[in-house]
């Protein structure tokens, strides 16, 4: 499917996978609606992408876990960006690796409110427009944590299992429309994810990727753009992708 001229909404575009996804859709000639909380990063990305090509970028800084903020965002999307062709539900967070019985409730609430409720708010507010225009593609960034579990992953895994369930339900419910639903479920991707997960402990974050070649944000962006660019009759339901040196959420081969 030709992507040039399409309008793409990417949540969590200030870093990692979302930022690379925004760049790759911009290279394809798409106009972009980009969100995240860090306004300065959104502004920098907007000027970088607009200067590089003849595309338009609309930026919106808000907390996706705040329902009223999501409503304000959606009602404030400029008229020329209102026909959204592709929604990339990417914003998400991991917090902590505590055992469940020792867990931090603030961490739990942030993960559930961002990864599950934030994704639901945006989906509920954007998909009706896609149904009305009789076209659209929803691409959810899940995780292998939505396919398996691992010790210390409890609530993050639960939130990503929810993304998996939501993606499957949405696909069933939209089967009588031309809309497509894709879930991308990555293993280890080196982004700001682990630094955020360990509350800024860079050494602990670096250890996650030590001794192996992790995926990059661009690797995932590539798959997202690939799924979006298939012909309209092709729906990529799920992609599970890991570094070559990773086999499951708990098995990885590390060089010394
Ligand atoms: P990242 O570099 O930390 O980026 C996360 C993005 O989400 C940022 O743009 C962040 O923006 C946004 N975000 C987080 N909380 C938000 C909130 N409350 N409101 C609005 N935006 C929020 O991590 P990443 O690896 O690219 O993560 C992207 C997605 O991939 C997540 O859903 C994550 O669960 C998933 N994933 C990551 C990995 C991995 O190994 N990295 C593996 C599987 C799946 P602001 O901070 O500016 O708000």
């Amino acid at each position: 499917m030709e992507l040039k001229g399409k309008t793409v909404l990417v949540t969590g575009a200030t870093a990692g996978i979302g930022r690379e996804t925004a760049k790759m859709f911009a290279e394809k000639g798409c106009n972009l609606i980009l969100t995240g909380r860090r306004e300065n990063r959104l502004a920098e990305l907007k000027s970088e992408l607009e200067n590089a090509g003849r595309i338009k970028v609309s930026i919106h800084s808000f907390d996706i876990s705040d329902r009223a903020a999501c409503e304000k965002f959606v009602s404030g999307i400029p008229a020329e960006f209102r026909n959204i062709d592709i929604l990339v539900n990417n914003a998400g967070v991991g917090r902590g690796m505590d055992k469940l019985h020792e867990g931090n409730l603030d961490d739990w609430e942030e993960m559930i409110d961002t990864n599950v409720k934030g994704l639901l708010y945006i989906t509920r507010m954007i998909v009706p427009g896609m149904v009305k225009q009789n076209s659209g593609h929803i691409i959810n960034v899940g995780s292998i944590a939505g396919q398996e579990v691992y010790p210390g992953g409890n609530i993050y895994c639960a939130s990503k299992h929810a993304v998996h369930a939501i993606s499957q339900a949405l696909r069933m419910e939209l089967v009588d429309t031309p809309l497509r639903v894709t879930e991308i479920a990555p293993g280890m991707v080196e982004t700001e994810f682990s630094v955020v997960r360990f509350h800024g402990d860079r050494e602990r974050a670096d250890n996650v990727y030590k001794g192996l070649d992790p995926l990059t944000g661009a690797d995932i962006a590539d798959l997202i753009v690939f799924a979006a660019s298939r012909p309209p009759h092709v729906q990529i339901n799920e992609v599970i992708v890991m570094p070559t040196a990773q086999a499951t959420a708990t098995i990885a081969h590390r060089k010394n």
Side-chain angles (χ1 to χ4, degrees):
M1 185 189 269
E2 173 65 45
L3 291 177
K4 194 171 180 198
K6 300 273 185 214
T7 300
V8 185
L9 163 51
V10 182
T11 68
T14 57
I17 295 168
R19 188 181 156 82
E20 294 304 320
T21 300
K23 286 184 181 175
M24 223 169 267
F25 275 119
E27 278 168 23
K28 299 284 180 198
C30 299
N31 297 311
L32 300 169
I33 305 167
L34 304 179
T35 81
R37 286 164 301 183
R38 286 167 286 182
E39 198 168 5
N40 56 337
R41 289 210 186 178
L42 288 173
E44 279 170 26
L45 189 56
K46 174 183 163 74
S47 67
E48 182 187 323
L49 298 180
E50 284 185 337
N51 290 340
R54 275 190 230 137
I55 60 148
K56 289 185 196 133
V57 181
S58 178
I59 55 172
H60 304 263
S61 143
F62 64 96
D63 185 337
I64 207 165
S65 67
D66 178 342
R67 180 171 154 187
C70 290
E71 282 165 353
K72 197 169 159 217
F73 152 61
V74 172
S75 61
I77 296 174
E80 58 187 314
F81 290 87
R82 283 198 166 269
N83 297 333
I84 296 166
D85 299 294
I86 299 159
L87 163 61
V88 183
N89 277 318
N90 164 73
V93 66
R95 284 288 193 194
M97 285 281 281
D98 299 324
K99 291 181 179 174
L100 192 145
H101 70 280
E102 294 166 352
N104 177 322
L105 271 70
D106 290 336
D107 286 349
W108 294 5
E109 289 192 10
E110 185 179 353
M111 289 188 277
I112 291 168
D113 290 352
T114 308
N115 303 355
V116 184
K117 289 164 76 179
L119 179 143
L120 283 172
Y121 296 150
I122 298 298
T123 304
R124 177 65 182 89
M125 292 173 203
I126 299 298
V127 174
M130 291 179 163
V131 171
K132 206 170 164 196
Q133 75 195 10
N134 218 23
S135 68
H137 194 162
I138 301 107
I139 302 177
N140 292 334
V141 180
S143 170
I144 55 164
Q147 318 271 332
E148 318 171 33
V149 292
Y150 50 90
N154 42 63
I155 308 305
Y156 178 68
C157 293
S159 76
K160 289 296 181 178
H161 272 68
V163 172
H164 185 49
I166 291 161
S167 305
Q168 289 178 303
L170 199 58
R171 194 176 303 113
M172 289 177 182
E173 290 162 4
L174 294 171
V175 73
D176 59 348
T177 76
L179 272 67
R180 303 186 287 183
V181 180
T182 296
E183 181 188 357
I184 310 281
M188 277 183 259
V189 191
E190 192 165 15
T191 60
E192 293 175 12
F193 182 84
S194 293
V195 182
V196 172
R197 181 168 216 171
F198 299 126
H199 297 277
D201 184 338
R202 163 108 12 220
E203 199 183 328
R204 201 172 167 201
D206 287 345
N207 278 336
V208 173
Y209 313 106
K210 215 171 189 171
L212 55 79
D213 279 337
L215 298 170
T216 64
D219 293 326
I220 308 306
D222 201 25
L223 292 169
I224 291 171
V225 171
F226 178 79
S229 58
R230 292 313 85 207
H233 69 286
V234 178
Q235 172 172 240
I236 296 184
N237 288 5
E238 288 172 22
V239 178
I240 301 174
V241 54
M242 299 185 204
T244 305
Q246 183 178 18
T248 71
T250 49
I251 299 173
H253 176 69
R254 297 174 195 274
K255 293 178 210 123
N256 291 330

